[in-house]
Amino acid sequence: MQLSFTDIAAPFQSAGLRVRELHTLIDYHNRRYYQQDAPEISDAEYDALFRELQELEQRFPELVVPESPTQRVGSAALDGFQPVTHRLPMLSLDNATNSDEIRSKLDARVRKELGLPEGTALAYVCEPKMDGLAIELVYIDGLLTVAATRGDGLTGEDVTSNIRTLRGLPLRLHGDNIPPLLEVRGEVYLSLAAFQKINSDKQENGEPPFANPRNAAAGSLRQLDPRITARRPLSLFCYAPGFVEGSQFESQEEFLRTLESWGLPVNPLIRKVADIEGAVAYYQELQELRELLPYEIDGTVIKVDSYPLQRELGEKSRSPVWAIAAKFPPRQAETVLEDILLSVGRTGVITPVAQLTPVDISGVTVARATLHNWDEMAIKDIRIGDTVVIERAGDVIPAVVRVLTERRSGVERFLPPPETCPECGSAVVRIADEVALRCMGLSCPPQIRESIKHFASRGAMDIDGLGDRFIEQLLSLGLVHNVADLYTLTKADFMRFERMGETLAANLLAALEASKQRELYRFIFALGIRHVGERTAKTIAQAFGNLDDLQKASLSELTSIRDIGATVAQSIRTFFDTSDNLNIIRRMQEAGVTLSVATKKVGGRLSGKSFVFTGTLTRFTRDSARKLVEDEGGNVVGSVSRKTDYLVAGDEAGSKLNKARDLGVTVLDEEAFLLLLEKL
Ligand code: IVH
């Protein structure tokens, strides 16, 4: 047979269409997830789209374009950052520290400069002052071309490959009237949750932690290897124009709204106000809201809304006259470090914790701060009795920033690292290349307590109702010694708790029973294997599909999996080479713990299609029907909705059939279903 041109071109053309469709879909879901915090599809569905795109690009490399979502983490490590000169200098802002200063240093000054008579209102735009790093994005013909740090304001560093990894940031802008050259300035930041996660991973790995989210964001952005940056969930909000060719903007409000329409992230808390009193009210409101925000802010930036007026006002000593940073009280305070306690975590890491003379930091009393580890204590020369500066950020555990050595009286004393575990007396070791000290005791009480809490937690086995308080009681009554013991508990055991009723005891038992059926990745995560967080657990669950194969996997099998490096592989092997761990797992399996894996064939004929089965099926069982659908990349769900693609109705189908008909969902009988699958 001879192939014609169309035979060859047709698959390429349809792949091209699908690739563009996938760009749009993935960008859209990135925005829902990273900008709006309102995902519409599951991680698995997102991954399926991404993999489909990767597969198509592999088959048709000509279809790979720089703005493809697969190209975010492209280049290998750099030798260093290249300098970038800003077309317009990146200015700094004058500060105000209270409402009166907002009035005098901004409004009064602006009115004087403009010669505005008393009583005329001047509109301002009020924005949260993000505590991160300023960045300039250069879009040429809508394509992200360069991203640079602020540097000294005139010249920054080229961090384009790192900025490209920010999934909330569009690589290509979409919309009307996009200028051929558009420079946008904004702030790169890390959420408090991401900061906490990075620091606890660092702690686990025995690396020095970051002092605050801003340093963590800076450290993540200034990585020479973009693959490391890609693993740090950095975010960004845009807030100011740089050089814009043929700028058509009349006001800050219009500028921000236009950025949003092009797909750029803009802080939703930004508000235009009619006059300076509106700005003062915003500053006060935001200060209260600060405690609830998922990221750090250190004030409000207040800007004259009108661009013509901004131009008229200009700048003085490297700060614009038309804006001010109204700062919040610092999150730092001085206090005395009275003592150092030792806390033992789930994996045996011993953390020194400072006990402080209680001090108020913007409304929150702080009595403890983490000292991270003995290397950190040595670097900062922290001693018991010292006067220290501490810093807090949101709910993150406060940290000691520095010691005021000039306040020493001479009685302060250094606390040497412990040789034995303060909780169980076992030997303490410091593993090569790590800063953390670890208790090696297998039956160390706090390690057991924390590992059971982790096992029962929502992201892990999700044992509903079994919170910290009940776990403490189970331990103190000697009812559990490890996670496998949980599945031997009876109602009578729970009835021994203080103030326990029949119903609650029955509920706890039912929750334990329900937790026996879980997805494999949850179980792997719940085991608390070092270096295996939820994401890694998902990766390995998907790769092995069952626990037996994972338990037997060799180091080279493990490291052949994407994202699994030598450290993680070794840690998994060590875990499964420990006979105590195998015993615990075997006991749980004997108690009925059954693990499932959601397998999904990507790009199968039923990819993205959802099925509901109803009525009595005679040609196949429910389970085999599910498998048939899933093997082709489809989904089986329990109830009919507008999103259902097919209802497969057996005999005596009832309400689901009626609903499907009402909603116009395609109804298939068993024959038609098999025909669809080409199995007949
Ligand atoms: S506007 C000329 N808006 O604050 C005006 N800056 O102290 C330039 N910042 O370097 C900045 N949030 O890193 C502006 N909503 C916001 C901001 C903001 C944070 C930072 C920015 C700048 C510094 C100035």
Side-chain angles (χ1 to χ4, degrees):
M1 191 188 70
Q2 261 207 323
L3 286 174
S4 69
F5 172 72
T6 36
D7 285 331
I8 302 164
F12 180 75
Q13 277 172 354
S14 64
L17 284 178
R18 181 64 181 155
V19 160
R20 277 205 292 284
E21 190 174 48
L22 286 166
H23 288 177
T24 313
L25 276 170
I26 294 170
D27 284 348
Y28 172 78
H29 290 299
N30 275 343
R31 271 205 304 286
R32 295 293 301 180
Y33 188 95
Y34 293 100
Q35 285 185 26
Q36 295 158 9
D37 205 8
E40 280 174 10
I41 58 173
S42 67
D43 288 1
E45 284 165 315
Y46 177 90
D47 291 346
L49 293 173
F50 202 85
R51 274 198 303 270
E52 188 187 345
L53 179 60
Q54 281 176 321
E55 280 168 15
L56 279 171
E57 289 182 342
Q58 219 154 37
R59 271 172 52 208
F60 303 102
E62 311 85 303
L63 295 177
V64 181
V65 288
E67 70 260 36
S68 168
T70 62
Q71 302 304 299
R72 286 189 180 271
V73 197
S75 47
L78 310 167
D79 294 334
F81 298 107
Q82 295 302 314
V84 175
T85 306
H86 303 296
R87 287 183 182 80
L88 295 176
M90 290 179 78
L91 303 177
S92 54
L93 293 170
D94 211 2
N95 290 336
T97 48
N98 56 50
S99 305
D100 279 343
E101 283 186 10
I102 294 177
R103 295 185 185 98
S104 61
K105 290 175 98 171
L106 183 64
D107 198 54
R109 192 164 156 211
V110 164
R111 287 166 169 288
K112 189 163 157 254
E113 294 277 336
L114 295 173
L116 278 183
E118 280 285 321
T120 39
L122 187 61
Y124 292 94
V125 169
C126 307
E127 308 176 2
K129 184 170 187 311
M130 303 301 301
D131 196 7
L133 304 76
I135 201 93
E136 176 159 80
L137 309 168
V138 185
Y139 283 90
I140 296 180
D141 293 326
L143 192 69
L144 178 65
T145 310
V146 172
T149 59
R150 177 176 184 274
D152 62 4
L154 300 174
T155 306
E157 288 179 319
D158 185 337
V159 286
T160 316
S161 8
N162 288 343
I163 285 292
R164 287 174 64 86
T165 67
L166 272 68
R167 290 215 256 165
L169 181 70
L171 300 177
R172 175 175 286 286
L173 303 180
H174 292 283
D176 300 328
N177 302 325
I178 295 168
L181 172 59
L182 170 74
E183 289 185 354
V184 181
R185 283 139 187 210
E187 196 92 347
V188 173
Y189 67 94
L190 261 182
S191 70
L192 290 168
F195 164 66
Q196 233 160 353
K197 169 95 183 31
I198 292 173
N199 262 4
S200 71
D201 286 355
K202 280 194 165 280
Q203 171 115 342
E204 266 299 307
N205 298 342
E207 294 166 25
F210 289 114
N212 53 44
R214 180 175 9 89
N215 291 4
S220 305
L221 194 61
R222 295 195 77 266
Q223 284 288 341
L224 287 169
D225 186 348
R227 283 165 298 192
I228 299 179
T229 310
R231 276 184 246 130
R232 305 272 174 83
L234 289 166
S235 311
L236 174 127
F237 280 130
C238 299
Y239 50 62
F243 182 80
V244 184
E245 206 164 295
S247 173
Q248 73 275 49
F249 303 111
E250 282 298 309
S251 68
Q252 173 71 355
E253 193 199 22
E254 185 203 346
F255 171 71
L256 294 176
R257 251 203 255 123
T258 311
L259 291 189
E260 251 179 331
S261 77
W262 290 336
L264 285 163
V266 173
N267 194 322
L269 297 174
I270 292 178
R271 188 195 294 167
K272 181 178 166 180
V273 294
D275 57 19
I276 200 67
E277 290 315 310
V280 168
Y282 180 92
Y283 168 68
Q284 285 157 356
E285 268 174 53
L286 195 65
Q287 198 162 330
E288 276 174 33
L289 198 62
R290 180 189 194 192
E291 297 301 327
L292 305 174
L293 292 178
Y295 45 79
E296 267 288 81
I297 58 173
D298 56 355
T300 305
V301 181
I302 307 170
K303 305 172 180 173
V304 169
D305 182 40
S306 154
Y307 278 4
L309 292 184
Q310 285 190 7
R311 281 192 287 272
E312 198 177 327
L313 288 160
E315 64 188 74
K316 270 194 194 134
S317 54
R318 311 224 65 72
S319 312
V321 176
W322 44 266
I324 204 154
K327 295 291 204 82
F328 294 144
R331 301 273 220 178
Q332 293 193 342
E334 286 174 24
T335 188
V336 174
L337 192 157
E338 294 178 352
D339 201 359
I340 296 175
L341 309 175
L342 305 181
S343 146
V344 185
R346 172 164 65 83
T347 55
V349 172
I350 301 175
T351 307
V353 177
Q355 203 168 34
L356 310 163
T357 307
V359 59
D360 178 283
I361 307 185
S362 46
V364 175
T365 307
V366 175
R368 280 176 173 223
T370 176
L371 298 170
H372 299 297
N373 56 58
W374 272 266
D375 277 19
E376 281 290 300
M377 280 167 58
I379 293 167
K380 293 178 184 154
D381 188 20
I382 294 170
R383 303 182 194 174
I384 296 171
D386 269 337
T387 302
V388 291
V389 174
I390 56 169
E391 178 171 341
R392 65 170 270 267
D395 288 336
V396 179
I397 305 165
V400 172
V401 181
R402 63 174 194 279
V403 175
L404 301 175
T405 40
E406 64 278 13
R407 305 266 189 96
R408 277 192 179 148
S409 66
V411 299
E412 296 76 12
R413 61 190 176 86
F414 180 73
L415 180 77
E419 281 163 16
T420 56
C421 172
E423 299 273 359
C424 74
S426 300
V428 164
V429 297
R430 178 168 172 162
I431 297 171
D433 301 332
E434 291 195 358
V435 284
L437 293 183
R438 245 172 242 280
C439 160
M440 299 310 275
L442 280 175
S443 45
C444 177
Q447 285 187 56
I448 293 170
R449 182 184 66 225
E450 294 307 315
S451 64
I452 295 176
K453 285 182 186 172
H454 171 74
F455 185 83
S457 68
R458 188 162 294 167
M461 296 299 267
D462 192 16
I463 306 175
D464 198 20
L466 194 68
D468 292 0
R469 197 162 56 88
F470 288 150
I471 292 172
E472 309 270 357
Q473 293 202 49
L474 286 172
L475 288 162
S476 59
L477 291 168
L479 291 168
V480 296
H481 303 93
N482 56 48
V483 290
D485 291 343
L486 289 173
Y487 293 109
T488 63
L489 293 170
T490 61
K491 197 166 156 195
D493 290 330
F494 284 120
M495 290 307 288
R496 290 173 59 194
F497 285 13
E498 289 161 29
R499 294 191 303 279
M500 176 58 68
E502 291 274 343
T503 320
L504 186 50
N507 286 348
L508 283 168
L509 211 60
L512 271 169
E513 199 52 39
S515 77
K516 288 181 181 174
Q517 314 283 329
R518 286 286 179 256
E519 284 169 87
L520 176 60
Y521 85 86
R522 284 175 168 272
F523 186 76
I524 296 171
F525 173 56
L527 291 173
I529 305 170
R530 280 192 62 206
H531 305 297
V532 179
E534 192 170 336
R535 210 171 99 174
T536 307
K538 279 186 182 163
T539 308
I540 49 188
Q542 201 123 64
F544 287 97
N546 65 68
L547 199 60
D548 275 356
D549 288 345
L550 170 61
Q551 274 174 227
K552 289 193 224 111
S554 67
L555 280 179
S556 62
E557 279 173 281
L558 287 163
T559 47
S560 69
I561 302 167
R562 188 173 57 96
D563 291 343
I564 305 288
T567 317
V568 180
Q570 185 55 59
S571 170
I572 295 172
R573 250 328 338 131
T574 309
F575 185 89
F576 289 117
D577 285 338
T578 308
S579 61
D580 272 2
N581 292 337
L582 293 183
N583 272 332
I584 288 175
I585 294 172
R586 187 184 40 74
R587 283 181 56 213
M588 288 196 274
Q589 286 173 324
E590 282 166 7
V593 171
T594 321
L595 307 166
S596 59
V597 186
T599 49
K600 221 177 206 182
K601 181 171 162 190
V602 181
R605 273 174 300 149
L606 301 181
S607 178
K609 301 288 181 213
S610 99
F611 284 75
V612 175
F613 289 87
T614 189
T616 315
L617 302 172
T618 54
R619 304 284 308 264
F620 36 79
T621 63
R622 291 274 165 115
D623 277 349
S624 61
R626 172 185 288 273
K627 189 159 171 359
L628 287 171
V629 171
E630 288 179 347
D631 281 352
E632 286 301 331
N635 258 329
V636 177
V637 295
S639 60
V640 177
S641 75
R642 255 172 236 290
K643 290 195 184 147
T644 310
D645 294 292
Y646 298 102
L647 177 86
V648 183
D651 292 343
E652 286 156 35
S655 61
K656 286 186 190 175
L657 179 58
N658 293 335
K659 186 162 179 199
R661 289 197 172 124
D662 286 348
L663 293 173
V665 170
T666 308
V667 177
L668 304 174
D669 62 13
E670 288 176 86
E671 311 296 295
F673 171 67
L674 290 173
L675 211 61
L676 179 77
L677 286 167
E678 297 169 17
K679 294 278 181 214
L680 207 64

